Amino acid sequence: MTRPGGRSARVRDAVHDAVVELLAAGEIDAAIPKIAERAGVNPTSVYRRWGSRDHLLLDAAVTRLRATSPIPDTGSLRGDLSGWAEGVERSMRDRHGQILLRALVATLRPDEKPLEYLQARGEDLQEVLDKAAARGEAVPTVDEVLDFVLAPLYLRVLFRRPIEPGTGEKLVERLLTALPAGPAPSAA
Amino acid sequence: MTRPGGRSARVRDAVHDAVVELLAAGEIDAAIPKIAERAGVNPTSVYRRWGSRDHLLLDAAVTRLRATSPIPDTGSLRGDLSGWAEGVERSMRDRHGQILLRALVATLRPDEKPLEYLQARGEDLQEVLDKAAARGEAVPTVDEVLDFVLAPLYLRVLFRRPIEPGTGEKLVERLLTALPAGPAPSAA
């Protein structure tokens, strides 16, 4: 764990910034020495901390994409999911967000170890769903949230289709409308 | 247009095969001379026909992915969409299909001209929806089909989540259940 204001956190932020800036400048193949130079840190620290360029890219993309769409605690499932979906939509309408999603997907080779990114987001979402179920609300499964809300937004970016404002909220409405009344079986 | 058995079509098939084989062998950066050599054709013909490696990759991915999931004409919207979704699911459970989808996404840079791949699939789907509407069936929009069915399948592959057998059919059911009774406004 790193303290928010600690040196370790500052290095991480600087290196993540450098990754995003280089990707945004079209330097999608920038290697660790170039990234370290831009971040003003020693390449050795970068190798020691992240091991490889792919791990660094993955960490930068996952950290930044999660940070742009935190899940609020509004007291209702509709409010929580809408707040989160608006954040995802906003980051997917933003050029940096699009670049990070592309970098994330490009870095994931098939046949590699399972990905922790969606798992981490899945755990955030599960917590929200559990709270809603405890309040007696009907809740979807995490997979349903990913299918109904995240997949359509991500696919629009990956295939360069425009994202109309309000898409995130519309997708959440669609998900909630599809729910059977009362708590879902998975919440029983 | 090329005749199915013509020389032009044979060259195209051989070059597409070479692309798929090289990608499957992990040679994701193979350049045109290497692809041409494997296909047994002259590099000059490849440059003349496709112009660049990116265009070739895109053409190979789009052609092969469309070919693996044709839309059948079963006389009902449920049958047509289920048949198509099963084909998409099958190709997304197949290693070559996964590799082609990744190649397709990786080849699409942001800020480039709009993509014709989803447009071509969208036109195929629109035809099916128009036929169903003419029969008096309630129909979704093409965007709804992409959101409900294609996006969840593609996202599973891109994020390396497993695709359970029957997922395609389940997604089509979900789409049809979400439809209001009677023809959708877009079919009016």
Side-chain angles (χ1 to χ4, degrees):
Chain A
M1 294 298 294
T2 56
R3 285 174 301 122
R7 184 175 175 281
S8 172
R10 283 201 306 278
V11 167
R12 183 161 117 146
D13 280 350
V15 172
H16 283 177
D17 281 345
V19 167
V20 175
E21 288 160 15
L22 286 166
L23 288 174
E27 308 217 24
I28 51 169
D29 294 321
I32 284 185
K34 182 153 197 174
I35 297 168
E37 188 193 340
R38 182 158 194 131
V41 306
N42 197 308
T44 316
S45 324
V46 177
Y47 283 112
R48 199 168 46 225
R49 182 158 182 167
W50 284 279
S52 74
R53 185 183 164 279
D54 272 9
H55 279 123
L56 168 54
L57 243 73
L58 219 71
D59 183 50
V62 168
T63 306
R64 293 293 163 97
L65 287 174
R66 282 185 82 190
T68 52
S69 50
I71 312 184
D73 187 358
T74 65
S76 81
L77 181 62
R78 169 171 276 111
D80 291 359
L81 291 180
S82 294
W84 165 71
E86 276 166 31
V88 175
E89 179 195 315
R90 201 179 320 115
S91 82
M92 289 300 103
R93 291 160 64 88
D94 173 77
R95 187 159 170 272
H96 280 191
Q98 295 172 2
I99 285 168
L100 285 170
L101 178 65
R102 284 190 173 279
L104 179 59
V105 168
T107 309
L108 302 171
R109 304 261 180 251
D111 313 326
E112 272 179 16
K113 66 172 167 39
L115 172 63
E116 282 155 31
Y117 171 60
L118 278 194
Q119 194 183 321
R121 298 207 86 154
E123 283 163 13
D124 299 343
L125 286 167
Q126 189 63 61
E127 209 176 294
V128 166
L129 299 178
D130 288 346
K131 277 191 293 187
R135 286 190 302 258
E137 293 190 70
V139 293
T141 63
V142 167
D143 274 355
E144 285 170 335
V145 179
L146 300 179
D147 282 351
F148 272 87
V149 184
L150 205 64
L153 286 169
Y154 278 8
L155 198 74
R156 276 173 174 73
V157 170
L158 294 175
F159 285 97
R160 293 203 306 255
R161 295 166 66 213
I163 299 181
E164 304 295 331
T167 302
E169 180 130 30
K170 200 186 87 184
L171 294 171
V172 169
E173 271 320 306
R174 193 184 270 176
L175 165 68
L176 296 177
T177 304
L179 288 183
S186 63
Chain B
M1 296 299 295
T2 55
R3 285 174 300 123
R7 184 174 174 282
S8 173
R10 282 200 308 276
V11 166
R12 182 160 116 146
D13 280 349
V15 171
H16 285 176
D17 281 344
V19 168
V20 175
E21 289 161 14
L22 286 166
L23 288 173
E27 308 218 25
I28 51 170
D29 295 321
I32 284 184
K34 183 154 195 171
I35 296 168
E37 188 194 339
R38 182 159 193 129
V41 306
N42 198 308
T44 317
S45 324
V46 178
Y47 284 112
R48 198 168 47 224
R49 181 156 183 169
W50 284 279
S52 73
R53 185 182 164 279
D54 272 10
H55 279 124
L56 168 54
L57 243 72
L58 247 136
D59 183 49
V62 168
T63 305
R64 292 293 162 98
L65 287 174
R66 282 184 81 190
T68 53
S69 50
I71 311 184
D73 188 357
T74 66
S76 83
L77 182 61
R78 169 170 277 112
D80 291 359
L81 291 180
S82 294
W84 166 71
E86 276 166 31
V88 175
E89 179 195 314
R90 201 179 320 115
S91 82
M92 289 299 104
R93 292 160 63 89
D94 173 78
R95 188 158 170 271
H96 279 190
Q98 295 172 2
I99 286 167
L100 285 169
L101 178 65
R102 285 191 173 277
L104 178 60
V105 168
T107 309
L108 303 171
R109 306 262 179 248
D111 314 325
E112 272 179 16
K113 66 171 167 40
L115 172 64
E116 283 155 30
Y117 170 60
L118 279 193
Q119 195 184 320
R121 298 207 84 153
E123 283 163 12
D124 298 342
L125 286 167
Q126 189 64 59
E127 209 175 295
V128 166
L129 300 177
D130 288 347
K131 277 191 292 186
R135 285 190 301 257
E137 293 191 69
V139 293
T141 63
V142 168
D143 274 355
E144 286 171 334
V145 179
L146 299 180
D147 282 352
F148 272 88
V149 183
L150 204 64
L153 287 169
Y154 278 8
L155 198 74
R156 278 173 172 72
V157 171
L158 294 174
F159 284 96
R160 294 204 306 256
R161 294 167 67 213
I163 299 181
E164 304 295 331
T167 302
E169 179 130 31
K170 200 185 87 183
L171 295 170
V172 169
E173 270 321 305
R174 194 184 268 175
L175 165 67
L176 296 177
T177 304
L179 288 183
S186 64

